[in-house]
Amino acid sequence: MLRPLLDDAARRAAEFLERQADRPVRPDPDAVKGLAAWDTPLPEGPTDPHEVLRLLDEIGSPATMAMGSPRFFGFVIGGALPVTVAANWLATAWDQNTGLFAATPGTSELERISLGWLIDLLGLPQGCGAGFVTGATVANFTALAAARHAVLERAG
């Protein structure tokens, strides 16, 4: 069951990406209305995984903005490349919660190297610390805490 399911997902994703350059950038208005098909009562039991993929693809794909299209000039969002999609799939399959090297040495090492590259790229001094956060909320909170610390340090 695992391989056919992942093959189905890969096929659907590849077909979606291959259509990006040729389809309208905006979501199809009828497809957006068709999203109502997802609004069903909670199922009594499990749904077949292939059916879940089918519903996501057939109902959801036409209702998406083609952000990966070369004709999308909206906000600075999107930008998935085939290698980033594939790497994301692999990282999702790894299912790691990177926090401690002992528990997740592979992803911890990738994080350490990536942070070193970012420090170099941004021209920050050697020995500078950095870290990845879980999302925008924690990023904003961390930035405010760092700014508060700097202001209080300057004020003595």
Side-chain angles (χ1 to χ4, degrees), residues 110-129:
L110 286 173
E111 183 175 281
R112 184 192 65 76
I113 292 166
S114 298
L115 289 170
W117 288 353
L118 284 173
I119 289 169
D120 287 347
L121 182 66
L122 297 173
L124 298 172
Q126 289 303 313
C128 186

Side-chain angles (χ1 to χ4, degrees), residues 8-140:
D8 187 20
R11 180 187 57 77
R12 290 174 184 280
E15 288 173 2
F16 175 83
L17 292 172
E18 289 168 350
R19 291 190 304 260
Q20 288 283 323
D22 299 325
R23 64 167 267 203
V25 172
R26 61 154 176 71
D28 180 88
D30 289 332
V32 173
K33 290 177 189 168
L35 293 173
W38 283 340
D39 193 6
T40 62
L42 179 66
E44 292 290 325
T47 303
D48 176 72
H50 289 279
E51 178 65 5
V52 171
L53 284 179
R54 186 191 69 74
L55 291 170
L56 287 171
D57 184 31
E58 292 178 10
I59 295 171
S61 292
T64 62
M65 181 74 70
M67 292 178 185
S69 166
R71 293 172 288 111
F72 179 77
F73 298 106
F75 303 105
V76 182
I77 47 181
L81 301 170
V83 68
T84 63
V85 172
N88 185 283
W89 289 350
L90 185 56
T92 299
W94 287 352
D95 195 20
Q96 301 292 284
N97 184 353
T98 304
L100 296 171
F101 185 88
T104 57
T107 55
S108 292
E109 186 64 5
L110 286 173
E111 183 175 281
R112 184 192 65 76
I113 292 166
S114 298
L115 289 170
W117 288 353
L118 284 173
I119 289 169
D120 287 347
L121 182 66
L122 297 173
L124 298 172
Q126 289 303 313
C128 186
F132 291 114
V133 296
T134 57
T137 300
V138 175
N140 290 330

